[in-house]
Amino acid sequence: MDIKMIRNTIENASLYTQMGRIDKIVGMTIEATGPSCNIGDVCEIEAPKGEEHFYAEVVGFRENKVLLMPYDEMEGIGYGSAVKNTGDKLRIPVTNALIGRTVDALGSPIDGKGPIQGERYYPITGHPSNPMERPRIDTPIQLGVKAIDGLLTVGKGQRIGIFSGSGVGKSTLMGMIAKNVKADVNVIALVGERSREVVEFIHKDLGEEGMKRTVLVVATSNQSAMMRSKCTMTATTIAEYFKDQGMDVLLMMDSLTRFAMAQREIGLSIGEPPVARGYTPSIYSDLPKLLERSGNFKEGSITGIYTVLVEGDDTNEPVSDTVRGIIDGHIMLSRKVAMSNRYPAIDVLASISRLMNDIVLPEHKEAASRFRKMLSLYEANFDLISIGAYKKGSNQELDEAIARIESLYDFLRQKVDESYTLDETVIKLISLVE
């Protein structure tokens, strides 16, 4: 071997070890010494018995220690367990065969229908797109729910949030949209759901027809914070794959609040300070990164519908407030409306689609405006009307609202198995307010 080859070998040799050992475990955080790695690297941890391996992700550094968060439970590993850096970031297999399947937060099938052969692998973090290359949103997308299509019309590639307390009907509304939407494929992320609710959502809310064109990504409440966090990113990555095929994708997440809670758990474990209701600063940068990955593109589109679980029906708590400032509209589900047995329990007057005026016809826009005005006038004077203090003829516009209120409420009601096209909804709305 000549001196030139020796010099070349030395110059290209890695001077850092890829192996290390666990030094400390505190809660869900693993501290390891030794392995050279970067943020986001996936490391393999060997159990002392050598029978199985665990995988963890590098989430930070403290002095000369590497901080790792495992994807699964940590039973079987302990002090001195070997840690090896795989040198790879987390990537998931993507293929058209995902349609109709249920996978976990790492893209592995959990529905008992056999393995999914991935055509290619996509990085879970995605690639930022140039905002100047995104086309304007100018086409409505049919969601099949009258109250939304008629009064809160959503555009193809728009991001909109469904804000609701617990038990007001988020999952049912998501199932209705998934069954009735006019999109090529649905990608639905269920983050932090109870195990029972996953099967119920598939059979009760989604149904056989809805599941045929849906990819379901699931991380249940008993799984680690890393799995709950990655669930949203995996779903978005799968949506990006179908978007790259030129498809119009509907991406739904239930819920962003549980994603934020998982990120808070990770942040607190590695020493981030809590700043608002225990949420760590990194959450306020992670949410825009996640939400900006949906939108309208040169090839295909990702229409994002994100649910936000508001704590104590407080729509101004930190996560709700942050998300509302990023997305292009919000649909408020009201416990008061649900208690009056009107479903879906959408509070139309508190909801808005920021792009509706740019994507609908003038006749549709005018009809929606008149509908809102009559509904608002009636509800503002409801107490006077209910106690008989209002005299007919005092206000001509209020008289009209009182005469039509049952028709207005009937328009807002919709059974789970009912479906309406966008054209049918618009025609019904215009005829209702004429």
Side-chain angles (χ1 to χ4, degrees), residues 270-387:
I270 62 175
E272 278 193 77
V275 291
R277 291 202 187 181
Y279 290 107
T280 53
S282 60
I283 290 170
Y284 300 101
S285 61
D286 290 334
L287 281 170
K289 285 178 190 174
L290 177 68
L291 297 174
E292 282 293 338
R293 291 170 66 180
S294 55
N296 203 18
F297 301 89
K298 285 183 178 179
E299 291 185 358
S301 66
I302 302 175
T303 304
I305 298 181
Y306 305 91
T307 72
V308 179
L309 184 64
V310 296
E311 299 176 9
D313 293 344
D314 175 16
T315 56
N316 295 315
E317 52 92 25
V319 174
S320 303
D321 217 28
T322 304
V323 171
R324 200 163 51 240
I326 300 169
I327 55 178
D328 311 312
H330 50 270
I331 298 169
M332 295 293 184
L333 299 190
S334 164
R335 198 172 298 278
K336 184 179 178 182
V337 173
M339 288 166 64
S340 66
N341 200 33
R342 192 171 81 234
Y343 290 98
I346 299 172
D347 186 348
V348 172
L349 300 178
S351 308
I352 191 169
S353 170
R354 294 180 184 172
L355 298 179
M356 179 177 174
N357 290 343
D358 299 330
I359 60 177
V360 299
L361 296 172
E363 298 85 357
H364 182 180
K365 180 180 172 183
E366 177 64 26
S369 178
R370 287 200 63 195
F371 186 105
R372 280 175 171 272
K373 186 176 180 181
M374 282 192 284
L375 185 63
S376 174
L377 194 59
Y378 177 83
E379 295 196 348
N381 293 277
F382 177 76
D383 290 342
L384 288 176
I385 298 166
S386 60
I387 63 173

Side-chain angles (χ1 to χ4, degrees), residues 58-79:
V58 179
V59 292
F61 303 94
R62 184 180 294 137
E63 297 174 353
N64 61 339
K65 306 285 179 64
V66 178
L67 303 181
L68 303 157
M69 289 284 284
Y71 295 123
D72 295 311
E73 295 300 322
M74 296 189 292
E75 288 184 18
I77 62 174
Y79 179 79

Side-chain angles (χ1 to χ4, degrees), residues 50-281:
E51 295 175 356
E52 56 183 323
H53 296 274
F54 299 83
Y55 289 93
E57 186 173 307
V58 179
V59 292
F61 303 94
R62 184 180 294 137
E63 297 174 353
N64 61 339
K65 306 285 179 64
V66 178
L67 303 181
L68 303 157
M69 289 284 284
Y71 295 123
D72 295 311
E73 295 300 322
M74 296 189 292
E75 288 184 18
I77 62 174
Y79 179 79
S81 295
V83 179
K84 180 184 177 183
N85 183 9
T86 63
D88 285 331
K89 309 291 185 188
L90 185 59
R91 297 180 300 154
I92 61 164
V94 287
T95 168
N96 288 348
L98 282 165
I99 299 175
R101 301 296 300 272
T102 303
V103 299
D104 66 12
L106 303 181
S108 303
I110 57 173
D111 53 9
K113 297 180 181 178
I116 300 172
Q117 300 299 327
E119 292 179 353
R120 52 203 296 196
Y121 284 81
Y122 270 37
I124 200 168
T125 52
H127 299 289
S129 61
N130 185 341
M132 301 305 293
E133 294 178 357
R134 289 196 179 191
R136 289 189 63 195
I137 297 171
D138 55 8
T139 309
I141 184 170
Q142 174 189 304
L143 298 184
V145 179
K146 286 184 295 179
I148 299 176
D149 285 345
L151 303 166
L152 305 163
T153 313
V154 177
K156 201 174 284 183
Q158 185 174 341
R159 300 161 303 172
I160 197 157
I162 298 176
F163 293 74
S164 163
S166 56
V168 185
K170 293 189 306 300
S171 297
T172 305
L173 180 58
M174 284 178 62
M176 289 174 68
I177 293 171
K179 283 188 288 189
N180 301 328
V181 68
K182 200 171 183 182
D184 297 317
V185 62
N186 306 324
V187 181
I188 304 177
L190 299 181
V191 187
E193 291 284 355
R194 293 182 286 272
S195 300
R196 171 185 62 80
E197 290 181 323
V198 175
V199 178
E200 279 193 6
F201 179 78
I202 293 172
H203 294 288
K204 181 183 169 186
D205 298 323
L206 200 54
E208 191 177 337
E209 284 301 311
M211 194 63 205
K212 280 181 181 176
R213 56 194 180 108
T214 296
V215 183
L216 204 59
V217 186
V218 176
T220 52
S221 57
N222 61 321
Q223 291 184 289
S224 68
M226 285 298 286
M227 291 291 272
R228 283 178 275 131
S229 169
K230 298 303 178 190
C231 179
T232 58
M233 299 182 191
T234 295
T236 306
T237 303
I238 292 171
E240 287 173 334
Y241 165 76
F242 288 115
K243 177 266 295 182
D244 291 343
Q245 316 303 310
M247 297 184 184
D248 293 320
V249 184
L250 176 72
L251 172 64
M252 291 199 286
M253 288 186 189
D254 185 17
S255 67
L256 278 182
T257 307
R258 294 195 183 107
F259 164 74
M261 288 176 174
Q263 290 295 97
R264 174 173 65 184
E265 197 174 322
I266 295 168
L268 292 173
S269 295
I270 62 175
E272 278 193 77
V275 291
R277 291 202 187 181
Y279 290 107
T280 53

